[in-house]
Amino acid sequence: TTNPTTFGSTLDPSDPPTSTATNPSTPTIDGGDSLEPTLPCETLDPNPDSFEDGLFPLSPWSTDGDGDWALTTERAFDGATSLKSPALNGSQLISNATLRTCDDFEGGILRLQVMASVQPPNDMFVVSIDGVQAAQLVGVWDWTPVELGISPGQHRVDFTYQYNMFNLDQFPPNGPPEREGAVWLDVVGLGNTQRAGRKKEVQIVEVEDIFGNRHQ
């Protein structure tokens, strides 16, 4: 059984896959080459975004993949609304909620609250910047603050819900009863915004599927 992972600091993409981030600071992630937006680039407004306006997706937000993220009033960290991943059913499926920054973005801290009620091998939640994995969360049963440093300029941040990433015909029995198979996001802020909550440590887990293969 994989231990729950709590998250509140950052992972350097240059670290080895099985490393554990222990640096208490929040390093800036360049993420490689930034991706050209396909939508008009607009500033995050309100910032932080608690999704209380009831409108999603509007630039700088978008959603794509095998299902769409959507607003929900099931639970929220602040106010009455949060952003929730879709329910997926199949093999090796993903869904992205994407936040883009513009050329005039001055850089800063991406802060948000996350509840990732997921557990491999069923599902996983990953945050990527310009296609480079910056963090992954599993077994996060309560609202947890996440912070990632982003360099100035144009970037694409993908919040990705992954389902059955190991292409299993059936999942192992006796998974954690807390797992709901969904991810919720709230209070997403860019730059010098107020902290989304108290910082916690991050642990990157290695997962063993039912065939004995290990995955990071």
Side-chain angles (χ1 to χ4, degrees):
T1 301
T2 303
N3 292 327
T5 299
T6 55
F7 184 92
S9 57
T10 61
L11 169 67
D12 187 338
S14 64
D15 286 344
T18 57
S19 66
T20 300
T22 57
N23 189 341
S25 64
T26 305
T28 297
I29 297 176
D30 289 318
D33 295 332
S34 60
L35 305 180
E36 185 70 23
T38 58
L39 299 173
C41 192
E42 298 182 14
T43 302
L44 183 65
D45 184 20
N47 184 15
D49 191 350
S50 295
F51 307 105
E52 296 301 310
D53 57 9
L55 300 174
F56 182 87
L58 291 178
S59 183
W61 286 101
S62 62
T63 181
D64 61 28
D66 297 301
D68 292 336
W69 290 63
L71 301 182
T72 181
T73 57
E74 292 176 349
R75 52 171 56 96
F77 178 81
D78 181 52
T81 307
S82 63
L83 186 62
K84 182 184 178 182
S85 62
L88 301 179
N89 184 19
S91 182
Q92 295 182 317
L93 302 178
I94 67 168
S95 175
N96 297 317
T98 299
L99 177 65
R100 300 175 186 269
T101 64
C102 303
D103 287 330
D104 60 358
F105 175 61
E106 296 180 352
I109 306 300
L110 168 68
R111 297 186 175 99
L112 66 152
Q113 286 283 340
V114 176
M115 184 182 295
S117 187
V118 295
Q119 189 76 19
N122 301 60
D123 44 14
M124 183 180 291
F125 176 59
V126 173
V127 182
S128 301
I129 301 176
D130 299 329
V132 177
Q133 180 173 312
Q136 64 179 18
L137 294 87
V138 299
V140 180
W141 315 126
D142 295 310
W143 290 108
T144 299
V146 172
E147 296 185 358
L148 293 170
I150 304 181
S151 61
Q154 188 181 106
H155 297 284
R156 170 175 174 154
V157 182
D158 287 312
F159 304 97
T160 304
Y161 173 63
Q162 300 180 351
Y163 182 80
N164 195 7
M165 65 288 290
F166 304 131
N167 193 25
L168 303 180
D169 292 330
Q170 63 181 26
F171 296 122
N174 303 322
E178 302 91 342
R179 178 188 170 272
E180 298 181 59
V183 178
W184 290 264
L185 310 180
D186 205 356
V187 197
V188 181
L190 278 171
N192 296 322
T193 60
Q194 182 155 356
R195 289 181 177 269
R198 196 169 104 186
K199 199 171 184 180
K200 297 184 180 180
E201 294 182 354
V202 58
Q203 184 181 37
I204 302 305
V205 299
E206 192 174 51
V207 179
E208 182 173 329
D209 64 28
I210 62 174
F211 303 108
N213 300 314
R214 300 194 67 82
H215 308 266
Q216 185 264 338

